[in-house]
Amino acid sequence: MFENIKKEYCYGNFLNGEWAFFDKCLDIIDPTSKKLVGRISQMKHEDVDNAIESCSSAQKEWGKMPTNERAKILHKAANLLVENQDHIADILMHEIAKDKKSCLSEINRTADFIKFTADEGERTIGEALNADNFPGVKTNKLAFVIREPLGVVLAISPFNYPINLSASKIAPALIAGNSVLLKPPTQGALSAMHMVEIFNQAGLPAGVLNTITGKSSEIGDYVVTHPKIDFINFTGSTKVGKHIASISGMVPLIMELGGKDAAIVLDDANLEDAANDIVSGAFSYSGQRCTAIKRVIAVDSIVDKLIELILPKVKELKVGNPKDSTITPLVNDKAKDFVLELMHDAEEKGAVRLIGGNYEDNLVYPTVYDKVTEEMRLAWEEPFGPVLPIIRVNNIDDAISLANKSQYGLQSSVFTMNINNAFYVAKRLEVGTVHINNKTERGPDHFPFSGIKNSGMGTQGIKYSIEAMTRRKNIVLEYN
Ligand code: NAP
Ligand code: G3H
């Protein structure tokens, strides 16, 4: 099934219905074994031009295809993804050191996402408005508000969910009649290319989905400022997202960026449940999730008891090879160095290490700090690794105020058995989503998912993504 997508370890790019190969390739190294997993093509500006041109011309016919026919192709792709899950999960595990169980769950979740998107697309309708609802105007008018595709959508995905966060842009864009240019993450591109081949096998017409790979420093700015890109759907770091927003001009954007999600634990919380959620929320995929719990803000009266419950659960986390561990090597040495830098800064400033702190190569052991204060970088920065700071506060208002001091505003959790306290906090937190008695997480994928402040702009989620990647067209009829 995937024989055509690479030549001698170097993966091609999917362009106009075929796999095209390029002279220069970049090595993709397994973060665990440090062995070569594969290589990706290094494209140049003119290759990017060709890919966009092909998307632009293919979109014209694709946009006219009945939605129910587009939906059939998406359903077929979802089924093929499930059929090939073992093979793709293996590539994913080797490429980004994600534990095998999470790789399989990412693939199955993506298949469900694609199917739900196909069905949602079939339900997407416009509206009709009567002129006489508005005072002082002619009454013999009707507006037909229909939705049209935007054109060429540029989808840029991050390393930590190369399949899911590519598909969550591709599927809504396609069902709405757009064509898609996918720029996968360099580390993650091999897995993403397998999914692209699945769309090909499902019968997507040539040019409707093209891919580009290469060094971001060479093709990144070029593609995001290209005049034939009609929408940019980006997930990644705040630094890169802000840069893209600053140069892309008058192109609509969805930006899903970094986070510093807080778990606020109040004195009336079910502490056992909170501890379970905090540990899985903070440490799954070694904390390399935008929605990972990245700080615990707990009131003084219960914090010692909470720590007592958290620590044994952290001790139980299996550390090692992605084949069977939760805590796996970080994606590269740079990521590991950054995590260690934040840990050193916290320790120098007096944070109390409760567990962890050790590492082997780029495998960092799960680490928890108590008595983290506002002076420490760990209180504010996103480690994207398995390190969890606990910050003690006096009361509910201090917890809210500390949570809101963050530059980020993705999600937060509040743990309390008092519904009034839950809503008191939820209404005051400056984030896109508040979870009550639940860890922070993006899914289910039809829920709206948006970040505010430096966590992004716009809303993802199946219906919301379709809405974002269509425009309203108003056709007005005046009758006698
Ligand atoms: P990243 O370094 O910002 O990269 C994200 C994507 O942008 C990659 O495909 C990258 O390509 C590409 N890119 C880099 N520079 C570019 C440029 N100038 N123009 C166009 N594209 C460019 O992020 P990451 O390290 O992959 O992911 C981790 C970050 O993403 C964390 O901050 C995390 O919080 C955030 N994230 C947020 C969400 C969310 O939904 N809010 C979800 C997942 C991750 P290369 O790989 O080739 O550099
Ligand atoms: O890394 C960011 C993802 O959007 C997080 O998704 O909460 O399902 O792990 P998740």
Side-chain angles (χ1 to χ4, degrees), residues 96-323:
I96 62 163
K98 183 177 272 194
D99 59 282
K100 185 75 186 277
K101 203 169 142 217
S102 299
C103 291
L104 287 165
S105 123
E106 175 172 348
I107 293 166
N108 282 289
R109 169 184 184 179
T110 303
D112 289 339
F113 182 100
I114 296 171
K115 287 184 197 166
F116 198 112
T117 302
D119 296 343
E120 185 69 36
E122 288 181 303
R123 289 192 289 265
T124 304
I125 49 167
E127 57 183 348
L129 302 176
N130 263 321
D132 66 2
N133 294 356
F134 198 87
V137 294
K138 284 186 184 176
T139 56
N140 59 336
K141 278 187 189 181
L142 264 180
F144 300 92
V145 187
I146 57 172
R147 299 202 83 99
E148 292 195 329
L150 298 177
V152 181
V153 168
L154 171 62
I156 305 180
S157 45
F159 82 84
N160 63 340
Y161 277 95
I163 304 247
N164 185 268
L165 284 171
S166 298
S168 64
K169 299 166 178 54
I170 294 171
L174 290 181
I175 196 69
N178 300 286
S179 60
V180 177
L181 181 69
L182 172 67
K183 152 67 190 89
T186 293
Q187 194 92 26
L190 308 182
S191 322
M193 289 306 177
H194 283 76
M195 187 184 55
V196 169
E197 174 59 10
I198 295 258
F199 275 105
N200 177 32
Q201 300 270 338
L204 210 58
V208 168
L209 172 61
N210 289 334
T211 64
I212 55 168
T213 53
K215 288 192 173 160
S216 290
S217 53
E218 283 169 21
I219 58 167
D221 287 7
Y222 187 73
V223 69
V224 300
T225 53
H226 198 288
K228 287 204 166 168
I229 294 295
D230 301 303
F231 187 90
I232 301 175
N233 198 331
F234 173 86
T235 305
S237 62
T238 296
K239 185 172 167 225
V240 174
K242 280 186 140 181
H243 169 69
I244 292 174
S246 72
I247 62 171
S248 56
M250 245 175 69
V251 173
L253 308 167
I254 288 182
M255 290 276 158
E256 296 294 355
L257 310 177
K260 187 73 183 170
D261 295 2
I264 296 177
V265 188
L266 302 181
D267 55 5
D268 51 13
N270 177 328
L271 294 182
E272 177 66 31
D273 287 354
N276 275 328
D277 268 2
I278 286 169
V279 173
S280 71
F283 294 107
S284 56
Y285 188 32
S286 310
Q288 295 173 113
R289 295 165 51 243
C290 58
T291 49
I293 290 177
K294 294 185 182 127
R295 48 190 175 141
V296 172
I297 302 178
V299 292
D300 265 331
S301 51
I302 49 86
V303 74
D304 292 322
K305 177 73 192 150
L306 181 68
I307 288 170
E308 253 175 52
L309 293 166
I310 286 177
L311 290 184
K313 298 179 201 303
V314 176
K315 241 184 224 155
E316 273 169 25
L317 294 170
K318 189 148 192 295
V319 181
N321 194 295
K323 280 184 185 149

Side-chain angles (χ1 to χ4, degrees), residues 31 93 96 143 227 271 287 324 335 375 397 418 435 462 471:
M93 180 185 76
I96 62 163
L271 294 182
D324 56 4
E375 289 66 47
D397 289 312
N418 179 321
H435 293 267
I462 292 172
R471 67 167 71 86

Side-chain angles (χ1 to χ4, degrees), residues 57-75:
S57 82
Q59 190 274 326
K60 313 249 174 328
E61 284 309 307
W62 177 250
K64 288 184 208 152
M65 185 189 274
T67 309
N68 72 82
E69 285 180 29
R70 295 199 288 256
K72 281 185 196 133
I73 296 175
L74 292 195
H75 274 287

Side-chain angles (χ1 to χ4, degrees), residues 31-46:
T32 311
S33 67
K34 301 291 165 88
K35 289 188 181 147
L36 186 73
V37 197
R39 311 178 78 211
I40 60 156
S41 300
Q42 210 176 319
M43 286 173 113
K44 299 192 286 287
H45 289 184
E46 55 267 36

Side-chain angles (χ1 to χ4, degrees), residues 391-406:
I391 308 175
R392 295 169 176 245
V393 288
N394 290 326
N395 55 46
I396 188 169
D397 289 312
D398 288 353
I400 295 166
S401 138
L402 187 65
N404 286 344
K405 270 191 193 170
S406 171

